[in-house]
Amino acid sequence: MTGSANDREALIVVDVQRDFCPGGALAVPDGDAVVPTVNRLAWRFAHVVLTQDWHPKGHASFASAHPGRRPFETIEMPYGAQTLWPDHCVQGSAGAALHPGLDIPHAELVIRKGCHPAIDSYSAFRENDRKTPTGLAGYLRERGIARVTLCGLATDFCVVYSALDARELGFAAAVALEACRGIDLDGSLARALEAMAEAGVELHT
Ligand code: VGL
Ligand code: ZN
C-alpha cells in the first residue's frame, strides 16, 4: 500500500484508564494530566491504537494472589522478575475503563493485554514472558505502519516496554513525553529514559 507519510505512522495510546489515574487502584501521580495532551496529539495522526490493561480476577501480577506478599515487592515468576501490584484493571470493572475524558473517536483499534492469568503484559506487543505476542505487530505491519509514536501511562512500565519492543520488532519509534507520566519505583523512570535513548527511541519533550 502506498500513501502519505502520515499513512505509515500510528499513535499508540497506552493504558489511559481510570485505575492509573488519581483515585484509581494503581494511580500514577498526575496521570490524568495526560488526557488533554493525548487528545490534542491524536488529531495529528490518521491512525490511532488504544491499549487497555485487562486482567482477569486473581491475576498473577496482583500481590493479593501471593499470600504474605505486598504491592510493589518483586517476586520470581517462571518468566523472570515480576513487580507485584495492587489489584487493578480487572476485566469489566469501572477501574479498567478508558479515562472518560479521552476524546479520540477516530481510534481504529483497542488492544487488551494482560489477559493471561499467569503472565503479566507491560508491552502492547508481547507479554512479560517476552514470547507471547498480542498481535499488535502483525496488525501494524498488515496496515503498512512503519513508525509508531507512544504516549500514556506509565512511562516506566507499559510505555517503555512497548517502545523497546517496537524497536526490536523493526518499527521506528518515538515517545511523546509530555503526554506520559511515570510511577518511578526505585529509579525506574531514569532507567526507562536511558534504555529508550539507547534503543533509538526518539524522546520528544
Ligand atoms: C502498568 C503496572 C501494572 C502500566 C500496568 O500500564 O504501566 N503498570 N500494569
Ligand atoms: Zn497491569
Side-chain angles (χ1 to χ4, degrees):
M1 186 184 75
T2 55
S4 68
N6 205 16
D7 235 15
R8 297 183 57 83
E9 293 189 29
L11 179 68
I12 303 179
V13 178
V14 177
D15 296 1
V16 181
Q17 291 165 266
R18 286 180 185 270
D19 268 347
F20 295 123
C21 291
L26 177 42
V28 177
D30 210 23
D32 54 348
V34 304
V35 171
T37 320
V38 169
N39 287 342
R40 270 196 308 279
L41 185 61
W43 287 111
R44 309 219 302 254
F45 289 82
H47 302 296
V48 181
V49 173
L50 311 177
T51 76
Q52 215 171 1
D53 209 36
W54 198 251
H55 301 306
K57 275 187 203 149
H59 190 252
S61 76
F62 297 170
S64 63
H66 304 270
R69 298 296 185 159
R70 303 192 54 79
F72 309 108
E73 286 180 12
T74 303
I75 61 163
E76 259 331 290
M77 299 278 240
Y79 55 79
Q82 170 71 48
T83 304
L84 295 177
W85 304 106
D87 291 22
H88 65 280
C89 297
V90 171
Q91 295 173 355
S93 67
L98 293 169
H99 190 285
L102 276 185
D103 183 17
I104 316 180
H106 62 300
E108 294 170 316
L109 176 73
V110 179
I111 189 148
R112 290 170 164 174
K113 62 185 180 59
C115 306
H116 192 298
I119 315 176
D120 204 3
S121 189
Y122 295 149
S123 166
F125 292 94
R126 274 192 301 200
E127 303 200 17
N128 286 10
D129 63 2
R130 320 305 298 138
K131 291 196 297 262
T132 310
T134 63
L136 180 58
Y139 170 86
L140 294 173
R141 285 187 194 122
E142 203 166 353
R143 301 288 316 270
I145 304 291
R147 182 175 199 275
V148 296
T149 296
L150 297 114
C151 63
L153 307 171
T155 320
D156 43 346
F157 288 91
C158 291
V159 174
V160 63
Y161 272 68
S162 299
L164 296 177
D165 273 354
R167 294 292 300 131
E168 242 180 75
L169 295 165
F171 299 93
V175 169
L177 289 171
E178 78 282 4
C180 298
R181 291 294 183 281
I183 297 175
D184 205 10
L185 269 185
D186 305 320
S188 56
L189 192 51
R191 280 199 304 279
L193 296 175
E194 207 175 310
M196 289 192 284
E198 178 115 338
V201 177
E202 285 175 45
L203 298 176
H204 299 169
T205 48

